[in-house]
Amino acid sequence: MTGTGGGAPAGAVHVLGVRHHGPGSARSVLEALEELDPDVVLVEGAPELAPLVPFVADPGLVPPVAGLVYAVDEPGRASFYPMAEFSPEWVALRWAVARGRRVELADLPAAHLLATRAAEDAEAGVPVLRDPVGDLARAAGYDDPERWWEDAVEHRSGTAVARFDALREAMAAVRAAGPGDDLETRRREAAMRRSVRAALRAGAARVAFVCGAYHAPAVHPDARVPVKEDTALLAGLPKVKVTATWAPWTAGRLAVASGYGAGVTAPGWYQHLFVEGARAGATPEDVTASWLVRVGRALRDEQLDAPPASIVEATRLAQTLAVVRGRPSVGLTEVTDAAQTVLCGGSTVPLELVHRTLVVGEAMGAVPESVPMVPLAADLARRQRALRMAPSASVTVLQLDLRKEQHRERSLLLHRLLLLDVPWGRPAAVTARTTGTFREAWQLEWVPELSVRLVEAGLRGTTVPAATEGVVRERAAAAADLSALADLVEQCLLCDLPDALTVVLAALERQTAQQHDPLTLLRTVEPLARTCRYGDVRAADTAGVARVLRTVVTRVAVGLRAACTALDDDAGALVREAVESAHRGVRLLDEPALDGPWRRGLTDLARDERVHAAVSGRVHRLLLDDGTLEVVTVAERMSRRLSVGAPAPAGAAWLDGFLEGDALLLVHDPTLLSLVDEWVAGVDDATFEDLLPLLRRAFARFSDAERREVGHRLRAPGVLRAQVTRLDVDRALPAVHATARLLGLEPVA
C-alpha cells in the first residue's frame, strides 16, 4: 500500500482501524506492529499531547488515564483523551516508546477544536449522528454491536494486518452508504491525512496509523484526497492557547453509561480479557474460569453462597453455551448467563450487586509527580499524601473526629475543596452515636472532571489555602446581599481562613450599616449564629462575628413589626420562613444579649393584628413553645383569628403557621383543639372546598399516630374537657395518702 494522493514521496502506510478501548483490537494492534516494525507510529489524538508521550514508559503512569488538553485562559474549555490498559492507542504508544520509534499524535489540534466548538461555527451545523459499527453488526445479522465486535475482532484469530484491511474495506462500504460527514469530522480527517503526508515526506519507509475504524478508509492513501482540498478545510481556523497534562481516569468513566461517546459496556470485563489473555500459555478456558472465580469471590463478599464446585459447573455451562450459540469463544453474555443460572439460582439480583465492581470495574489510574501539572494540583497531591487520603473511584465514607489534629486537617482540606468547587467530598450523615458537634462524615468519590475544576481553581492561587482565600475575596467583593456574606463568614471558619475572614467581616459590617431590608437581615442571623456556636470546635476566633450578629439581631427586632404588615401571601411565606430561620439562630446561642431584643420583637409582632396571618400564627407558636406566651393568651388570640367575622382564608393561614411542628399541643390542650374543631365545623361548604388543600397540608405534617390521637380526642370532646377542668378529689385521695406516707409526711385530712 503506497502513495499519498498528494505527491508526497512514496512509502508504505498501514492504517489500523480499531475499536476504541477494545482488548481484541489492542492485541491485534500489538501483533500488527510486531509484524510491520514501522519507522513511524501515528496515533489518533490531539498533537498537543506529544510532549506527554515519553511518560507512558514511566511505571508511575498507571492506566486508566486521560490526556487533558485545556485552554490556558479558560480552563473550563477542555478535552479528555482517555486510555485504558486495553486501549489500542495505549498499546501503540508503549510499543513505540519501548522500541525507540518515532511516535506522533495525529488529529485536528485541540487549539482549533476547542476554539471552533466554543464559537459554534455556523458552517459546521449539527453533527450527523451515526453508528457505523451498528451498521456492520446489522449487516452481519447481529442485533448487538458489542457482540459483533467480540466475535469479529476481539475473539477472531488470523493475520492482524489482513484483519485490519478487511475491516477498512467494510467500513468504506458503510461510509459510502451513509449520509455524509459533518464539518468537524472532515476537518479531523484532513488533519490526519496531513500528518501521514508529513511522516512520508520526512523519509519514513513504513508508517503505521492507529485510529478509529470509521476514519480508516478516509485517512488511507488509497482515498486519494487532493492536498488542496485538505488545505482549504484547515485554512483560517480560529485558535486558542492550550496546554496539556495527564489526568487520572476511572473505569466507570470508560463505560457507555457514563455518557462517554466512545465508551464500552464492560470495562472491567475487557480489562480481564486483555490481562488474562496476555498471560503466557493462557487459553480461552483459563480466561473464563478465572473470571467466574472473581464472580464467586465477589458474591461471597456480599455474604452469598458461591462454592468452588458451583464455579466449576458455571465454567462448563459457559463453554457449552458458546458452542450452542455458534460463537468462536466464550463472551460476557455466556459467563453472565452461566453465573446467573448456577451461582444465583436464576435471579439477576445477586449479579447486580457485583456489576459495578466487576463488569464495570472500580479501577482508577495514577499519574507520577514528574508529569507537568498546574501548581494547585501538585499541592493537592502533596496534601493528600500527607493526610493519607488517596483518591478513589469508588464511593467511600470518611468519619472525622474534629478533636484529633489529623482529622481537623482532613476536614479543612475537604471544606476548602468544596469552596473551590472541587467536590471530592460531600457532607454525609454522621453514623456514630454522639450528641456533640465534633464529628463530621464525608462521602468521597474522585471523578475525572475534578481535574478540570482544579485547573480552573488554579487561576486563584498556587496552593489550596491561597486559592481558597482568592475565591473568598472575589465572592466578598461581588456579594450582593448580607446572606451571601454571612454564608462566606461560616465558610471562612470551616476553611480556617483568618485573613479572608477579616475581609468578609469588614464587608459584612459595611453592608449591615447600609442595609434597611429586614428580610435580608433575618436571613443573615442563622448562618452567623451557627458560626458563633460551632466555631469553637475548630478553635476559631468568632468575636468579630458575634459583634456583627448582635447588631443584626438588634436592628431586626426593631424593624420586624413594620416589615410584616401589608404583605401578600407570597411575601408572607418568605417572611415566615425568614423569621423561623432567625429564631433557630437565636435559640442556638441562648445569649441574653440576643434573646432579649429578639423576644421583645416577636412579642410586639404577635400583638399586632395587621401582621400577615401566616407570620402571626407561626410567631404565636414559637412564643408559646418558648414559654413567653401563656396558653390562655394564645387561645384568646386564636379565637379572634378564627372568629366568624374574620376572613376564612386568613384564619386558615394563621392556623397553618401555628400548627407547624408536632401535634402534642392539640393532643394535650383541649381548649386549643376545641377552637380549631369549632372553626373547621363552622366554615360554610363553598369556603371549605377552597380551604381544604391548606388544611390538609397543615395536618399532613403530623405523624399517623398523632393524627389518630387527635381524632380520638375529637370524638369525645366533653369527656376530655371534664377531665382537664374538674378534679375528682375523692378518687385522688388514696393516692395522695400513699404518696404522703412514702415521703414521710403527715396524712392529709
Side-chain angles (χ1 to χ4, degrees):
M1 291 174 285
T2 60
T4 63
V13 178
H14 298 271
V15 180
L16 310 180
V18 299
R19 179 195 184 205
H20 297 298
H21 315 305
S25 296
R27 287 195 297 268
S28 297
V29 163
L30 184 59
E31 183 182 344
L33 292 176
E34 293 289 354
E35 180 183 334
L36 297 171
D37 193 22
D39 305 288
V40 177
V41 177
L42 300 179
V43 178
E44 179 185 340
E48 290 87 350
L49 295 173
L52 304 178
V53 171
F55 290 101
V56 300
D58 191 327
L61 186 64
V62 180
V65 292
L68 168 60
V69 185
Y70 58 90
V72 174
D73 297 328
E74 193 177 347
R77 292 160 57 183
S79 289
F80 286 105
Y81 298 84
M83 296 184 191
E85 188 175 359
F86 51 83
S87 299
E89 298 87 349
W90 178 263
V91 170
L93 291 176
R94 296 205 65 174
W95 184 92
V97 171
R99 286 159 181 76
R101 302 293 192 273
R102 186 157 62 94
V103 58
E104 297 177 2
L105 281 300
D107 203 337
L108 184 67
H112 297 311
L113 193 62
L114 295 176
T116 53
R117 285 177 179 174
E120 297 180 351
D121 197 320
E123 186 182 359
V126 179
V128 179
L129 299 178
R130 59 175 62 84
D131 182 16
V133 174
D135 294 339
L136 283 176
R138 284 186 290 273
Y142 284 76
D143 59 355
D144 182 9
E146 293 285 338
R147 184 171 177 178
W148 178 86
W149 263 101
E150 289 182 13
D151 287 354
V153 180
E154 268 76 355
H155 298 312
R156 186 174 296 276
S157 60
T159 305
V161 175
R163 185 161 57 244
F164 283 121
D165 289 343
L167 183 61
R168 176 170 51 83
E169 293 173 4
M171 195 58 67
V174 172
R175 291 179 63 116
D181 300 321
D182 57 85
L183 180 58
E184 183 177 297
T185 300
R186 298 202 305 273
R187 284 172 173 168
R188 292 183 59 202
E189 292 176 346
M192 294 178 190
R193 290 189 291 267
R194 183 172 59 183
S195 297
V196 172
R197 298 187 189 107
L200 293 175
R201 281 196 300 268
R206 292 177 305 281
V207 177
F209 189 1
V210 180
C211 64
Y214 182 80
H215 303 300
V219 301
H220 193 274
D222 288 349
R224 300 193 178 279
V225 179
V227 175
K228 62 180 181 181
E229 183 177 319
D230 290 343
T231 302
L233 276 171
L234 300 175
L237 294 180
K239 188 177 182 180
V240 295
K241 185 179 180 181
V242 299
T243 189
T245 185
W246 287 113
W249 205 250
T250 64
R253 281 296 190 269
L254 290 171
V256 173
S258 70
Y260 173 39
V264 293
T265 56
W269 165 249
Y270 286 152
Q271 174 76 11
H272 179 81
L273 283 179
F274 184 75
V275 174
E276 293 297 318
R279 296 185 186 279
T283 64
E285 292 76 13
D286 296 332
V287 174
T288 302
S290 59
W291 175 261
L292 287 170
V293 167
R294 292 182 60 192
V295 172
R297 186 182 300 117
L299 290 174
R300 287 192 293 272
D301 290 342
E302 297 290 341
Q303 308 302 315
L304 299 173
D305 292 335
S310 297
I311 294 174
V312 172
E313 185 62 29
T315 303
R316 291 172 179 168
L317 178 58
Q319 295 166 354
T320 303
L321 287 173
V323 174
V324 171
R325 293 169 179 174
R327 306 198 60 188
S329 60
V330 177
L332 179 60
T333 304
E334 283 70 38
V335 294
T336 301
D337 291 345
Q340 179 180 333
T341 302
V342 179
L343 300 177
C344 305
S347 173
T348 61
V349 175
L351 288 183
E352 290 175 358
L353 294 174
V354 300
H355 177 82
R356 175 181 172 86
T357 58
L358 286 184
V359 179
V360 175
E362 295 182 332
M364 179 173 174
V367 177
E369 296 182 31
S370 55
V371 171
M373 61 180 69
V374 294
L376 179 61
D379 180 66
L380 175 59
R382 286 192 295 269
R383 294 175 186 274
Q384 288 171 332
R385 288 192 298 272
L387 296 174
R388 298 179 181 178
M389 299 175 67
S392 173
S394 59
V395 179
T396 58
V397 176
L398 178 66
Q399 298 279 355
L400 298 179
D401 184 343
L402 299 181
R403 295 170 297 183
K404 301 177 181 179
E405 182 177 357
Q406 187 185 59
H407 287 209
R408 282 199 303 272
E409 292 298 322
R410 289 177 175 179
S411 174
L412 283 177
L413 179 61
L414 293 172
H415 278 293
R416 288 169 176 173
L417 291 177
L418 270 183
L419 194 55
L420 291 175
D421 198 21
V422 184
W424 174 28
R426 298 182 184 276
V430 178
T431 58
R433 294 185 177 181
T434 176
T435 57
T437 60
F438 52 82
R439 290 195 180 274
E440 284 184 351
W442 293 83
Q443 183 173 288
L444 305 183
E445 182 184 14
W446 186 270
V447 294
E449 291 80 1
L450 298 182
S451 299
V452 178
R453 301 281 186 91
L454 277 175
V455 175
E456 292 179 303
L459 300 176
R460 274 94 174 180
T462 58
T463 65
V464 174
T468 311
E469 187 169 320
V471 169
V472 171
R473 291 177 181 272
E474 287 182 10
R475 293 184 183 179
D481 54 43
L482 286 177
S483 59
L485 287 173
D487 290 337
L488 274 181
V489 169
E490 189 174 9
Q491 291 170 339
C492 284
L493 290 176
L494 290 174
C495 298
D496 190 20
L497 302 172
D499 294 338
L501 178 61
T502 302
V503 174
V504 177
L505 283 177
L508 185 63
E509 288 181 321
R510 287 195 303 271
Q511 287 207 24
T512 300
Q514 301 169 1
Q515 182 59 252
H516 302 291
D517 180 15
L519 183 60
T520 302
L521 292 171
L522 280 170
R523 290 171 175 165
T524 309
V525 173
E526 187 176 19
L528 290 178
R530 279 200 308 266
T531 300
C532 293
R533 175 67 178 84
Y534 299 120
D536 59 344
V537 178
R538 302 170 183 276
D541 183 9
T542 60
V545 182
R547 183 177 63 253
V548 175
L549 178 60
R550 284 192 290 271
T551 302
V552 169
V553 170
T554 302
R555 293 192 58 193
V556 163
V558 171
L560 188 59
R561 189 172 179 179
C564 295
T565 56
L567 300 176
D568 59 18
D569 290 341
D570 293 337
L574 293 176
V575 171
R576 168 182 160 179
E577 180 183 353
V579 168
E580 286 183 280
S581 171
H583 188 73
R584 287 193 301 268
V586 172
R587 290 189 62 189
L588 191 64
L589 295 179
D590 193 24
E591 291 186 5
L594 301 175
D595 195 59
W598 177 248
R599 283 177 184 255
R600 287 193 294 272
L602 290 184
T603 303
D604 292 342
L605 193 65
R607 293 196 192 99
D608 195 338
E609 296 192 0
R610 297 172 301 169
V611 173
H612 190 277
V615 179
S616 178
R618 192 67 197 131
V619 168
H620 277 85
R621 178 62 182 272
L622 296 176
L623 292 174
L624 179 63
D625 290 345
D626 281 352
T628 304
L629 290 181
E630 298 291 337
V631 175
V632 175
T633 304
V634 174
E636 291 175 356
R637 294 178 183 177
M638 177 186 286
S639 178
R640 289 198 298 271
R641 286 285 188 170
L642 303 182
S643 64
V644 178
W654 195 96
L655 191 63
D656 180 63
F658 184 76
L659 292 182
E660 184 169 342
D662 56 58
L664 295 178
L665 181 68
L666 295 180
V667 170
H668 297 293
D669 196 307
T671 303
L672 297 179
L673 180 58
S674 176
L675 286 172
V676 174
D677 182 42
E678 292 172 1
W679 176 76
V680 173
V683 175
D684 62 85
D685 293 344
T687 306
F688 183 77
E689 290 183 2
D690 296 334
L691 297 182
L692 187 58
L694 188 60
L695 292 174
R696 280 180 174 171
R697 185 180 69 182
F699 285 92
R701 301 189 186 102
F702 302 154
S703 66
D704 293 341
E706 289 175 330
R707 289 199 294 269
R708 282 196 301 269
E709 183 63 22
V710 170
H712 173 71
R713 299 287 172 135
L714 288 174
R715 279 194 292 269
V719 176
L720 178 63
R721 193 171 295 112
Q723 290 175 346
V724 174
T725 58
R726 179 176 174 272
L727 178 63
D728 191 334
V729 178
D730 294 335
R731 294 180 62 187
L733 196 57
V736 174
H737 285 166
T739 304
R741 285 195 301 272
L742 291 174
L743 296 176
L745 302 176
E746 293 296 328
V748 179

